Amino acid sequence: MISTLPLSRDDLKSADESATAWALAAGGGDPDAVEHFVRALHRDVLRYVTHLSADPQAADDLAQETFLRALGSLHRFEGRSSARTWLMSIARRAVIDSFRYAATRPMPSDTPDWQLAVERAQPCGGPGFDDGIALLDLLETLPADRREAFVRTQMLGLTYEEAAEIGGCPIGTVRSRVARARGALLGLLSEADAPAA
């Protein structure tokens, strides 16, 4: 039986070092290291993609996609970050790609008037498509580093620590970027809501 208790900092550091060593060995061509690498991080990847996708049904497929991508690029992994951090950034991209793919696929409908059914299924009072486009337009005005920090923490739900690891910068930098992004977005929104002179 696998313990579900959280690991201490020392145990987590040791597990990260082991997983990174397995990843480096696997990248060097050791087939046994590949198996150890996958086993060491599979549960963490599964939890992470389940959290990001909010779809437990798709979690296994997303975890598998993550490992396929990682194994295909293990030869380029240099160990500059922990294997866990590297793998979680791959998992994040796999989830985002799955959302993009799902958004472009037409959905089958057996209702005679599918357009009316779609209109009725839209939530009332919440942000709609136009609001989403407006938000994307506003986000595009932000500098890339602030936009990435804001999206990772406020839209993807990553912690500041996770965003810092993925972005390769200190946590304080992420906090500052998010605060500045919020301020800029609020300023742009208040400008848009101001009556024309």
Side-chain angles (χ1 to χ4, degrees):
M1 183 171 168
I2 297 173
S3 172
T4 57
L5 295 174
L7 295 174
S8 69
R9 279 203 181 274
D10 291 337
D11 290 341
L12 186 59
K13 183 177 180 182
S14 174
D16 275 349
E17 288 170 357
S18 295
T20 302
W22 288 123
L24 289 168
D30 183 351
D32 291 333
V34 172
E35 183 177 343
H36 287 290
F37 167 68
V38 171
R39 284 181 189 229
L41 296 172
H42 185 267
R43 188 172 67 170
D44 291 338
V45 169
L46 193 60
R47 275 195 232 151
Y48 188 61
V49 296
T50 302
H51 169 72
L52 287 181
S53 68
D55 183 4
Q57 303 295 329
D60 285 328
D61 291 337
L62 289 167
Q64 182 178 3
E65 176 65 22
T66 298
F67 280 104
L68 285 173
R69 291 179 184 194
L71 295 176
S73 57
L74 260 177
H75 64 281
R76 291 191 308 258
F77 177 67
E78 297 175 355
R80 285 182 274 167
S81 66
S82 73
R84 180 185 316 275
T85 300
W86 177 71
L87 197 58
M88 294 308 164
S89 66
I90 293 172
R92 181 183 58 82
R93 285 191 299 273
V95 170
I96 290 169
D97 289 348
S98 76
F99 284 143
R100 287 182 181 146
Y101 178 73
T104 61
R105 291 191 57 179
M107 301 299 286
S109 174
D110 38 339
T111 20
D113 187 0
W114 63 270
Q115 288 177 325
L116 182 61
V118 167
E119 289 172 9
R120 288 185 180 160
Q122 295 299 316
C124 296
F129 181 78
D130 292 337
D131 292 335
I133 296 297
L135 176 61
L136 290 176
D137 288 343
L138 290 175
L139 286 173
E140 285 300 315
T141 65
L142 297 175
D145 56 347
R146 292 179 189 174
R147 179 176 57 245
E148 288 173 13
F150 183 85
V151 168
R152 285 178 185 150
T153 59
Q154 307 304 303
M155 298 175 78
L156 294 177
L158 297 178
T159 65
Y160 285 102
E161 185 176 60
E162 291 168 334
E165 286 180 23
I166 291 168
C169 62
I171 294 174
T173 302
V174 173
R175 291 183 192 280
S176 173
R177 288 175 180 172
V178 170
R180 289 180 178 166
R182 278 189 192 139
L185 290 173
L186 288 172
L188 290 169
L189 286 172
S190 62
E191 284 176 20
D193 289 341

